[in-house]
Amino acid sequence: MRIKFFSGALSLFTGLSLFSLSSLSASAATPASISSPNGNIKLEFKLDNLGAPLYSISYKEKTLVADSKLGLVGSEAEFISGFSIASVDTTSSDTSWTPVWGEYASVRDNHREMAVKLVAPNPERLLTIRFRLFDDGVGFRYELPLQDKVNYLTLMAEKTEFRFCDDHTLFCIPGDYDTDEYLWSETSFSSLPEALASYAGHSEAQRAGGNTIQTPLLLKTKDHVYVNLHEAALVGYPAMLLDTNTARFSLSSHLVPDRLGVAGYLQLPFSTPWRTLIISDDARDILASQLIYNLNEPCAFEDTSWIRPMKFVGVWWEMFVGHKKTWAYSDDYRAKPGITDYDKLTPNGRHPANTANVLKYVDFAADHNIDAVLVEGWNQGWEDWCSFRKNRQFLFDAPYPDFDVDSIQRYANSRGVKIIMHHETAANAADYERQLDRAFAFMNDHGYDAVKTGYVGAIIPRSEHHTSQWMVDHVLYVADQAARHHIMVDSHEAPRPTGLCRTYPNWVAQESARGGEFESMGGNPPSHTCILPFTRLKGGPMDYTPGLFETRLSYYGEGKTEQAGTTIARQLALYLTMPSPLQMACDLPENYLRFPDAFKFIEDVPVDWKDSKYLEAEPARYITVARLDKNSDDWYVGAITDHNARTATIDLSFLPVGVKYEATIYEDAPDADWKENPQAYRIRKVKVNSRTRLRQHLAPGGGCAIRITPISK
Amino acid sequence: MRIKFFSGALSLFTGLSLFSLSSLSASAATPASISSPNGNIKLEFKLDNLGAPLYSISYKEKTLVADSKLGLVGSEAEFISGFSIASVDTTSSDTSWTPVWGEYASVRDNHREMAVKLVAPNPERLLTIRFRLFDDGVGFRYELPLQDKVNYLTLMAEKTEFRFCDDHTLFCIPGDYDTDEYLWSETSFSSLPEALASYAGHSEAQRAGGNTIQTPLLLKTKDHVYVNLHEAALVGYPAMLLDTNTARFSLSSHLVPDRLGVAGYLQLPFSTPWRTLIISDDARDILASQLIYNLNEPCAFEDTSWIRPMKFVGVWWEMFVGHKKTWAYSDDYRAKPGITDYDKLTPNGRHPANTANVLKYVDFAADHNIDAVLVEGWNQGWEDWCSFRKNRQFLFDAPYPDFDVDSIQRYANSRGVKIIMHHETAANAADYERQLDRAFAFMNDHGYDAVKTGYVGAIIPRSEHHTSQWMVDHVLYVADQAARHHIMVDSHEAPRPTGLCRTYPNWVAQESARGGEFESMGGNPPSHTCILPFTRLKGGPMDYTPGLFETRLSYYGEGKTEQAGTTIARQLALYLTMPSPLQMACDLPENYLRFPDAFKFIEDVPVDWKDSKYLEAEPARYITVARLDKNSDDWYVGAITDHNARTATIDLSFLPVGVKYEATIYEDAPDADWKENPQAYRIRKVKVNSRTRLRQHLAPGGGCAIRITPISK
């Protein structure tokens, strides 16, 4: 039966002649405007003489974004011009909310809002554009209300412009439909083509082409105004890239299409994600901003007691550095999951996800205040890695023969350690959904409460990209289904986060950027972790995997020559500068046992915070931050620099007046250097109080980590 | 993490240089040949001077298929030429097997087999072509064994030719990637372009273009040899269409690609479906052939006791003919499943899937020996029908407010009637898989044991067609998952069947052709049901929905003018000529109550058989068949004709000698005529035995149905 329904469906829409030949009426309209609560940011909205919506933003009385277009283009209707303003509603709101975890125990949401209702004729089209101004920036989104003449919108493009006024500095990565695992360029509008050319041949993924870059994007004006441009609450919509007009210093939205060229399939009513600009002339405000979380919906769960921030070690780094160790149990690449009898397969003897090895990690975690152990390579399917080309790669409820899930869980339980599940999907999201219920039931049955997911390769369904609408929907579906099973999610190779972890706080972390693993694949320069907190991290925590103590890969003697752009002291600082409720100690236990006094900091450092104070910051250069433990009165400080040595000034005036503290300082030795002497650190204790101002030497590529504990009377 | 794996994967394949520049070696080879057990069919295999495989088929010493090419083309390797024959293994087998249901209590599988192992160099490629010859036809398939130089094959094309030798008559429908719901053309190679042109504008689906037609295809030679060309055991592979070379009288395989242009993603070892030719100079043999089932794997289930053939009525035809009745509960097309609160929606008052109406159907079924009631439109989501454009259309565990699933089940149970579930997916197979576990659990919880599935519209995942590889996999996945829940499946808009119901006997029926519903959408001419058993039905039973008693749609007074191409007596005969273990009585109960004596036949007729005897047959002209009830000694006969009146000769010599029977004959009245007088029938009883030869008048578009019951001593 097919024809019947189509004629039925057509008749439903009888009379909805969506396009008309009559000319669009031009609407002259008075500009509408709104300011941030402190008045520093002003936004003006108007229609041009064709009735096309325009907005502009000024910061401290200087134009930051000049008149820029707004609009949506669907196959069934365009929302671009011909509008008149039906109403402008302005409201203000000052509330606060309590995150389940994060950098602050409480987050203030103080904003003014302006909702501009637009109407266009022939056929009638309704569009609301909602602006919210905070002291630290702007968010706006499109809202397509329920309306008589448009029901579905096959979205072809969003026409949002961001017209900046000068040749600003850009901190950016190339536009790509499938990956964001790039090193960052510090460039400018005019130099962008050259910067992007340097990425040629980088990736297997699909580059958007042209002068297209990704969000979160950081801009810096010649007046030292910083702007983080990103989006909030990406739900039911594709991710946004930005096309650059390098001559006009202008950016415009470039929605990630599916492979049929369609950006999104919408049904009205629908609200797009928020387009966000975090704005300040103090770089520290960019780091402190909670604007993107404020634009997300409140927590969707009544009970969040099962969500627990945690640190973990993992059977993982071994596969990157250790004597050709593998995720696969056997070297027979022709093995097929669900078909091969693994008990009959010859083991390769280089498979660390085996029971004995996992138990060693469990012991290490239990002995060192680490909550959990991630195990990768535990399940059947790694032998014949081949994403995109087959409908089933992995089984998610089938351990390898040498991984005794029951005895591992019994032992881990007895030692108070959790095992973290790993679900690599080979980017076959379709098959992962097939197996999802069973996979989560398997986790529940065996005591797992957190999963690291992965989407390495080209996506199945084959119409999709990693960041097209269907995949955006998929990862949220996985997080939501996981919540129903009381499971926390750490998604890798998923669309970059947009603050959804406020609404779904079981979605504790994502990768969605070039992580620490790349220290074994070309390396990350020291500046890399000085830019990520200004960009990628604004959407949510990153599973960056800090804690690398053996930074020279030549140590493992396999011809590898990479060296991580870091000292040991800097690795400790990353636990503060890269905050996440799910924080790995990435290195091998035996490496930690070589430096037990330094590892003590990782044992001690919390992963959830009552308060945070950004003390010093400049993108790609340095960050110094202090954080107050959520569960004690201990403060922690982390400071990092780029490849240049630096003296960090750590003003402890945030400490309560009159209270005495002891600071344990983990610092680069005077002769430390990421390249020549990365493992030279010193640990010293000093008495401090609110009047203390520490001046800390940071080595090239170095850092400093401090624990500040009240001295009991 | 992404790059790592790709380099890892590449290194796995180091040394597998799949293509070589060295020239292919030509292999001269002796032809290999094999005959059917009775010797009527002969097949010869050889390599041409480029080492390309060729086969030919003769029937009764005349060439039927001249030298035709064989081969597969993948992105990674081609299996086309350069071959030499490594071995030819010939075996024979004569067994029989017991279907769970069907036309015969036991099926004989008597065949000779020839496996030709081929090898090509540079790089080494192994290909086995396996031929099986039965007395009623030929099957062959490609087998790609495990081999060192090829692991994956991204299949771009299959190069199977069928070179016929003359301008045969073709009974065919247009090639289409998404639908098979066409009327049949009786044409020829030379007239095919003209015939296909007549379908212009027929369908919303994607036509394959060119002179492409579908299987099952029926050919008839000038010597009155009939050939059904189709495939068996379509698993993990796309459906096959046929490109026609009208001048050369040749067909070649045209695999349905996905929207990226790829036919299939294979991992070796892999066996393709069988390419099948059912061959006979007696048209009755085509109908009787079990060749396609014989080429499928045995039943996959140990316990089949839960699979029960059945008849059903349905809340269904009302929506086609009844006063604008709808599947939807409300007329608010903007309602969204999972968002709308249906309890607050205004009901449209034209929604037959309501409790009171369903209970009437239950009573009717219970009173008239009907096993089950199908209810369509019971679940949320019909208001805003829009396939392809959104990720969720229907909920499969959410009844409409006026459908009380619990009280309906209680009442149905009390009356011994089953309710058949309906899962229309709007072709969103991806979302159906998301909901599948819960949907089947909902069915189990509420006592449903059969589901009619539907895929109306364009497929999601949007890379797919209805008959591309992923969807072939999907429908089998659904059938297999259903079996785990002891659920029977009747799939509509699914890839046309290829005998898989032998292996998965819970897959009791499919639509996969233009069904009885089209009597309300343009009508089906009488010849339509005279060709379907020669074509579509060879792959498996069809849910055709016979039993239409009110054949004039003008009866319902809604401006509809269609008239079904049938008399009432013919509708009764369809229960024999269109055998299915799931057989609908499609009309409204009130229409059956107008003709209770005729409906008695539908009450009595079984849906599962011990034996079947095809007495008369000519494609698109007439069929006469007798069948022995599996559970009694009653025989049933059905006879149909096209738009021409006919006298059927019903030779009852198949009855056991010496046993006396009473025949109840449901026949067209002398003045009956599908157009002018469709409801004129007579019922009479006569004594018969094995010496009886009945001569039955069939009206234009008419038929005859007979129940033959032993007279107890």
Side-chain angles (χ1 to χ4, degrees):
Chain A
M1 183 256 279
R2 179 159 308 114
I3 305 308
K4 169 70 180 168
F5 266 104
F6 274 76
S7 43
L10 286 175
S11 72
L12 266 181
F13 294 95
T14 301
L16 305 195
S17 160
L18 292 179
F19 293 98
S20 160
L21 293 175
S22 70
S23 64
L24 298 169
S25 67
S27 312
T30 322
S33 67
I34 185 173
S35 300
S36 62
N38 66 6
N40 283 344
I41 304 175
K42 291 199 177 73
L43 183 141
E44 189 180 272
F45 175 88
K46 64 185 178 190
L47 297 173
D48 72 8
N49 55 9
L50 293 172
L54 297 172
Y55 77 103
S56 60
I57 297 172
S58 68
Y59 177 69
K60 294 189 177 174
E61 307 300 337
K62 273 192 81 166
T63 300
L64 181 70
V65 177
D67 281 351
S68 296
K69 288 192 177 168
L70 296 163
L72 298 170
V73 178
S75 296
E76 299 82 358
E78 297 198 345
F79 295 79
I80 288 291
S81 60
F83 285 109
S84 53
I85 295 177
S87 68
V88 176
D89 295 315
T90 309
T91 56
S92 64
S93 168
D94 187 2
T95 58
S96 62
W97 54 279
T98 305
V100 175
W101 45 257
E103 298 181 76
Y104 303 91
S106 176
V107 176
R108 184 175 176 192
D109 175 0
N110 181 22
H111 68 258
R112 294 191 185 163
E113 178 176 297
M114 176 169 73
V116 182
K117 293 189 179 174
L118 302 172
V119 58
N122 303 324
E124 185 184 77
R125 284 151 294 154
L126 307 179
L127 172 65
T128 298
I129 306 177
R130 188 175 304 272
F131 299 93
R132 281 195 192 158
L133 268 68
F134 305 79
D135 286 344
D136 58 351
V138 173
F140 62 87
R141 71 177 182 188
Y142 302 94
E143 298 178 2
L144 293 162
L146 208 59
Q147 48 196 284
D148 288 339
K149 302 299 186 191
V150 187
N151 181 12
Y152 296 99
L153 198 68
T154 308
L155 189 69
M156 303 310 291
E158 179 185 316
K159 296 290 190 185
T160 304
E161 275 187 335
F162 305 90
R163 283 185 55 209
F164 291 94
C165 306
D166 201 352
D167 193 12
H168 299 335
T169 299
L170 305 176
F171 299 87
C172 64
I173 58 175
D176 195 306
Y177 298 158
D178 287 287
T179 187
D180 33 40
E181 301 186 18
Y182 292 100
L183 287 175
W184 290 75
S185 284
E186 181 174 343
T187 179
S188 64
F189 280 106
S190 57
S191 307
L192 184 65
E194 193 181 341
L196 290 178
S198 72
Y199 291 91
H202 166 276
S203 168
E204 90 292 353
Q206 182 159 346
R207 288 274 295 285
N211 290 320
T212 304
I213 54 180
Q214 299 199 29
T215 75
L217 164 71
L218 188 76
L219 303 98
K220 182 181 177 184
T221 73
K222 295 192 170 61
D223 301 332
H224 295 267
V225 176
Y226 303 85
V227 181
N228 173 295
L229 202 166
H230 188 35
E231 58 183 320
L234 175 59
V235 177
Y237 205 77
M240 179 175 72
L241 303 175
L242 296 168
D243 287 333
T244 309
N245 183 323
T246 55
R248 206 167 164 241
F249 313 137
S250 174
L251 303 164
S252 54
S253 52
H254 174 133
L255 301 181
V256 174
D258 65 18
R259 289 179 192 262
L260 309 181
V262 176
Y265 304 83
L266 312 181
Q267 181 173 12
L268 278 49
F270 184 82
S271 297
T272 71
W274 297 89
R275 278 59 191 95
T276 59
L277 300 100
I278 306 172
I279 304 165
S280 180
D281 53 11
D282 185 334
R284 298 176 301 177
D285 294 341
I286 306 296
L287 297 178
S289 173
Q290 302 287 294
L291 181 145
I292 287 175
Y293 294 128
N294 277 329
L295 289 168
N296 273 271
E297 296 297 312
C299 180
F301 315 134
E302 279 191 24
D303 173 21
T304 58
S305 61
W306 50 276
I307 301 170
R308 302 173 308 103
M310 59 183 167
K311 286 176 287 190
F312 67 104
V313 291
V315 175
W316 173 75
W317 191 240
E318 292 188 56
M319 284 85 114
F320 288 83
V321 301
H323 304 292
K324 301 196 191 305
K325 290 181 179 169
T326 70
W327 284 260
Y329 168 75
S330 170
D331 287 349
D332 188 347
Y333 67 89
R334 295 166 303 189
K336 289 182 172 190
I339 296 170
T340 295
D341 182 348
Y342 277 87
D343 286 319
K344 291 186 184 147
L345 225 55
T346 310
N348 60 22
R350 297 176 287 107
H351 178 237
N354 65 73
T355 304
N357 193 43
V358 171
L359 295 190
K360 280 187 211 164
Y361 277 80
V362 169
D363 280 334
F364 178 81
D367 293 344
H368 294 277
N369 195 33
I370 301 293
D371 305 281
V373 176
L374 166 73
V375 185
E376 297 200 0
W378 69 280
N379 63 323
Q380 297 181 9
W382 292 89
E383 281 69 20
D384 61 336
W385 181 276
C386 186
S387 65
F388 200 65
R389 282 194 289 185
K390 61 180 183 176
N391 281 340
R392 175 145 291 181
Q393 164 88 44
F394 289 107
L395 301 180
F396 299 108
D397 56 359
Y400 276 134
D402 59 348
F403 183 86
D404 183 341
V405 62
D406 290 318
S407 75
I408 287 169
Q409 278 301 343
R410 269 195 308 273
Y411 188 72
N413 277 346
S414 77
R415 301 235 43 195
V417 169
K418 283 282 182 184
I419 309 294
I420 297 180
M421 174 54 73
H422 185 229
H423 287 168
E424 174 53 51
T425 66
N428 191 339
D431 188 50
Y432 189 39
E433 293 198 3
R434 277 190 179 168
Q435 298 191 57
L436 201 61
D437 277 351
R438 273 158 278 162
F440 286 161
F442 181 87
M443 287 180 62
N444 286 160
D445 290 347
H446 293 90
Y448 290 80
D449 66 359
V451 61
K452 172 181 173 179
T453 61
Y455 297 89
V456 175
I459 296 289
I460 302 177
R462 297 185 178 91
S463 41
E464 303 306 322
H465 290 291
H466 278 75
T467 55
S468 60
Q469 182 194 29
W470 196 92
M471 276 302 290
V472 166
D473 181 55
H474 165 83
V475 292
L476 184 53
Y477 175 77
V478 170
D480 188 53
Q481 293 296 309
R484 292 164 198 260
H485 289 82
H486 284 195
I487 287 170
M488 290 172 278
V489 178
D490 166 23
S491 7
H492 285 230
E493 299 90 24
R496 46 204 167 280
T498 59
L500 284 165
C501 55
R502 173 180 174 186
T503 312
Y504 304 93
N506 67 313
W507 201 349
V508 285
Q510 293 191 227
E511 184 183 42
S512 302
R514 183 176 167 110
E517 65 184 4
F518 275 87
E519 302 293 14
S520 83
M521 297 178 282
N524 292 336
S527 60
H528 188 60
T529 41
C530 295
I531 181 63
L532 285 174
F534 286 94
T535 53
R536 158 66 184 80
L537 262 58
K538 297 320 297 173
M542 178 171 175
D543 180 17
Y544 183 80
T545 71
L548 193 67
F549 278 17
E550 184 45 70
T551 65
R552 288 176 165 133
L553 271 73
S554 58
Y555 175 82
Y556 301 98
E558 293 178 21
K560 267 188 153 343
T561 58
E562 284 93 344
Q563 181 173 354
T566 187
T567 63
I568 284 185
R570 178 206 188 78
Q571 287 291 313
L572 304 181
L574 294 181
Y575 289 84
L576 286 308
T577 59
M578 303 281 285
S580 172
L582 185 76
Q583 204 67 287
M584 191 174 200
C586 73
D587 214 329
L588 308 181
E590 55 259 43
N591 288 332
Y592 290 138
L593 295 175
R594 291 161 57 201
F595 308 97
D597 54 350
F599 190 67
K600 180 69 165 55
F601 183 82
I602 297 178
E603 295 180 28
D604 292 341
V605 68
V607 286
D608 196 14
W609 308 102
K610 208 180 293 170
D611 200 4
S612 295
K613 303 285 182 189
Y614 284 93
L615 306 179
E616 301 182 301
E618 177 62 20
R621 300 287 182 278
Y622 56 84
I623 295 170
T624 305
V625 63
R627 302 187 192 276
L628 175 59
D629 181 13
K630 197 175 229 170
N631 302 304
S632 76
D633 295 324
D634 293 357
W635 282 84
Y636 288 79
V637 176
I640 58 172
T641 181
D642 61 7
H643 58 286
N644 297 303
R646 182 171 184 270
T647 300
T649 303
I650 303 171
D651 181 343
L652 300 185
S653 58
F654 55 81
L655 293 175
V657 175
V659 181
K660 294 176 182 170
Y661 289 86
E662 181 180 70
T664 307
I665 301 176
Y666 300 74
E667 62 191 0
D668 293 321
D671 59 346
D673 178 282
W674 74 270
K675 184 76 184 164
E676 301 304 329
N677 198 14
Q679 293 173 332
Y681 60 86
R682 284 198 321 202
I683 303 169
R684 62 189 172 97
K685 291 179 193 287
V686 294
K687 299 282 185 292
V688 298
N689 60 36
S690 64
R691 294 186 308 274
T692 308
R693 180 178 291 207
L694 296 170
R695 290 179 58 80
Q696 279 296 143
H697 166 71
L698 311 178
C704 166
I706 309 177
R707 181 183 184 187
I708 303 175
T709 313
I711 298 172
S712 48
K713 284 136 203 173
Chain B
M1 181 258 279
R2 179 160 308 115
I3 304 308
K4 170 67 182 171
F5 265 105
F6 271 77
S7 42
L10 286 173
S11 72
L12 267 179
F13 294 96
T14 302
L16 304 198
S17 159
L18 292 178
F19 293 98
S20 162
L21 293 175
S22 70
S23 64
L24 298 168
S25 66
S27 311
T30 322
S33 67
I34 185 174
S35 301
S36 62
N38 67 6
N40 283 344
I41 304 174
K42 291 200 175 74
L43 183 140
E44 190 179 273
F45 175 88
K46 63 185 178 190
L47 296 173
D48 72 8
N49 55 10
L50 293 172
L54 297 171
Y55 77 102
S56 60
I57 298 172
S58 68
Y59 177 70
K60 293 189 176 173
E61 307 299 339
K62 272 191 81 166
T63 299
L64 182 68
V65 177
D67 280 350
S68 296
K69 289 192 174 165
L70 296 163
L72 298 171
V73 178
S75 295
E76 298 82 357
E78 296 198 347
F79 294 80
I80 288 291
S81 60
F83 286 109
S84 54
I85 295 176
S87 67
V88 176
D89 295 313
T90 309
T91 57
S92 64
S93 168
D94 188 1
T95 60
S96 61
W97 54 278
T98 305
V100 175
W101 45 257
E103 299 181 74
Y104 303 91
S106 177
V107 177
R108 184 177 177 192
D109 175 0
N110 181 21
H111 67 257
R112 294 193 184 161
E113 179 176 296
M114 175 169 74
V116 183
K117 294 190 180 174
L118 303 172
V119 59
N122 304 324
E124 186 185 74
R125 285 152 291 155
L126 307 179
L127 172 66
T128 299
I129 306 176
R130 189 175 303 274
F131 300 92
R132 281 196 190 156
L133 269 68
F134 304 80
D135 286 346
D136 56 354
V138 174
F140 62 87
R141 71 177 183 189
Y142 302 94
E143 298 177 2
L144 293 162
L146 206 60
Q147 48 197 286
D148 289 337
K149 302 299 187 190
V150 188
N151 182 12
Y152 298 99
L153 199 67
T154 307
L155 189 68
M156 303 311 290
E158 178 183 317
K159 297 288 189 186
T160 303
E161 274 187 335
F162 305 91
R163 283 184 57 209
F164 291 95
C165 307
D166 201 352
D167 194 12
H168 299 334
T169 299
L170 305 176
F171 298 86
C172 64
I173 58 176
D176 195 308
Y177 298 158
D178 286 289
T179 187
D180 34 38
E181 301 186 18
Y182 292 100
L183 287 175
W184 289 75
S185 285
E186 182 173 343
T187 178
S188 64
F189 280 105
S190 56
S191 307
L192 183 64
E194 193 180 343
L196 290 179
S198 72
Y199 290 91
H202 166 277
S203 167
E204 89 295 352
Q206 182 159 344
R207 290 273 296 282
N211 290 320
T212 304
I213 55 180
Q214 299 199 29
T215 75
L217 164 72
L218 189 76
L219 303 97
K220 183 181 176 183
T221 74
K222 294 192 170 61
D223 299 334
H224 297 265
V225 176
Y226 303 85
V227 180
N228 175 296
L229 200 165
H230 188 36
E231 56 183 321
L234 175 59
V235 176
Y237 204 78
M240 179 176 71
L241 302 175
L242 295 168
D243 288 332
T244 310
N245 184 324
T246 55
R248 205 166 166 243
F249 314 137
S250 174
L251 302 165
S252 55
S253 53
H254 173 135
L255 301 182
V256 174
D258 66 17
R259 288 179 193 264
L260 308 182
V262 175
Y265 304 84
L266 312 181
Q267 181 174 11
L268 278 48
F270 183 84
S271 297
T272 71
W274 297 89
R275 280 57 189 98
T276 59
L277 300 100
I278 306 171
I279 303 164
S280 179
D281 54 10
D282 185 334
R284 300 176 299 178
D285 293 341
I286 306 295
L287 298 178
S289 172
Q290 302 289 292
L291 179 143
I292 288 176
Y293 294 127
N294 276 331
L295 289 168
N296 273 271
E297 295 298 311
C299 180
F301 315 133
E302 278 193 22
D303 172 23
T304 58
S305 61
W306 49 278
I307 300 170
R308 302 173 307 104
M310 59 181 167
K311 287 178 287 191
F312 67 104
V313 290
V315 176
W316 174 74
W317 191 239
E318 292 188 55
M319 283 84 112
F320 288 84
V321 302
H323 305 292
K324 303 195 187 306
K325 288 181 180 168
T326 70
W327 283 260
Y329 168 74
S330 168
D331 286 350
D332 188 347
Y333 66 89
R334 294 166 304 190
K336 288 182 170 188
I339 296 170
T340 295
D341 181 349
Y342 276 87
D343 286 318
K344 291 185 184 146
L345 224 56
T346 311
N348 60 22
R350 296 177 287 107
H351 177 237
N354 65 73
T355 305
N357 194 44
V358 172
L359 296 189
K360 281 187 209 164
Y361 277 80
V362 169
D363 280 334
F364 178 82
D367 294 344
H368 294 277
N369 195 32
I370 301 294
D371 305 280
V373 176
L374 166 73
V375 185
E376 296 200 1
W378 69 279
N379 64 323
Q380 298 181 8
W382 292 89
E383 280 69 21
D384 62 335
W385 180 275
C386 187
S387 65
F388 199 64
R389 281 193 289 186
K390 60 180 183 177
N391 281 341
R392 177 144 290 179
Q393 165 89 41
F394 289 107
L395 301 179
F396 299 109
D397 56 358
Y400 277 134
D402 59 348
F403 184 87
D404 183 343
V405 61
D406 290 317
S407 75
I408 287 169
Q409 278 301 345
R410 271 196 305 276
Y411 188 74
N413 277 346
S414 77
R415 300 233 48 195
V417 171
K418 283 282 183 187
I419 309 294
I420 297 179
M421 176 54 72
H422 185 228
H423 288 169
E424 174 55 50
T425 66
N428 191 336
D431 188 51
Y432 188 41
E433 292 196 3
R434 278 192 180 168
Q435 297 191 58
L436 201 61
D437 277 351
R438 273 158 278 164
F440 286 160
F442 180 88
M443 287 180 62
N444 286 159
D445 291 347
H446 293 89
Y448 289 79
D449 66 358
V451 60
K452 173 181 172 179
T453 61
Y455 298 87
V456 176
I459 295 290
I460 302 178
R462 296 186 178 91
S463 42
E464 304 306 321
H465 290 290
H466 277 76
T467 55
S468 60
Q469 182 194 28
W470 196 93
M471 276 302 291
V472 165
D473 180 55
H474 165 82
V475 293
L476 184 54
Y477 175 76
V478 169
D480 188 51
Q481 292 296 308
R484 291 164 199 261
H485 288 83
H486 283 196
I487 287 170
M488 291 172 277
V489 178
D490 166 23
S491 9
H492 285 230
E493 298 89 25
R496 47 204 167 280
T498 58
L500 284 166
C501 57
R502 173 180 174 187
T503 312
Y504 304 93
N506 68 315
W507 201 350
V508 285
Q510 293 191 228
E511 185 184 42
S512 302
R514 184 176 167 110
E517 64 184 6
F518 276 87
E519 301 293 14
S520 84
M521 297 177 283
N524 292 338
S527 59
H528 188 60
T529 41
C530 294
I531 181 63
L532 285 174
F534 286 94
T535 53
R536 158 65 183 80
L537 263 59
K538 297 322 297 172
M542 178 171 174
D543 179 17
Y544 183 78
T545 71
L548 192 67
F549 278 18
E550 184 45 72
T551 64
R552 290 175 165 135
L553 270 73
S554 58
Y555 175 82
Y556 300 97
E558 293 176 23
K560 268 187 151 344
T561 57
E562 284 93 343
Q563 181 173 354
T566 186
T567 62
I568 284 185
R570 178 205 187 78
Q571 287 292 312
L572 303 181
L574 293 181
Y575 288 84
L576 286 308
T577 59
M578 302 282 283
S580 173
L582 184 75
Q583 204 65 289
M584 192 176 202
C586 72
D587 214 328
L588 309 181
E590 54 259 42
N591 288 332
Y592 289 138
L593 295 175
R594 290 160 58 202
F595 307 98
D597 55 348
F599 190 67
K600 180 67 165 59
F601 184 83
I602 297 179
E603 294 179 30
D604 292 341
V605 69
V607 287
D608 195 15
W609 308 102
K610 207 180 293 170
D611 200 5
S612 295
K613 303 285 184 190
Y614 285 93
L615 307 178
E616 302 181 302
E618 178 63 18
R621 301 287 182 277
Y622 56 84
I623 296 170
T624 305
V625 63
R627 300 188 192 277
L628 174 58
D629 180 13
K630 196 176 230 171
N631 302 304
S632 76
D633 295 327
D634 293 359
W635 283 83
Y636 288 80
V637 176
I640 58 173
T641 181
D642 61 8
H643 59 284
N644 297 305
R646 181 170 186 272
T647 299
T649 303
I650 303 170
D651 181 343
L652 300 185
S653 58
F654 55 80
L655 293 175
V657 174
V659 181
K660 293 174 181 173
Y661 289 86
E662 180 180 71
T664 307
I665 302 176
Y666 301 73
E667 63 192 358
D668 293 320
D671 58 348
D673 178 283
W674 74 271
K675 185 75 183 165
E676 301 303 331
N677 198 14
Q679 293 173 330
Y681 61 85
R682 284 195 324 201
I683 302 169
R684 61 188 173 96
K685 291 180 192 287
V686 294
K687 299 282 185 292
V688 299
N689 59 37
S690 64
R691 294 186 309 273
T692 307
R693 179 177 294 207
L694 295 169
R695 291 179 59 81
Q696 278 296 142
H697 166 71
L698 312 179
C704 166
I706 309 175
R707 181 183 185 186
I708 303 173
T709 313
I711 298 170
S712 48
K713 284 135 202 171

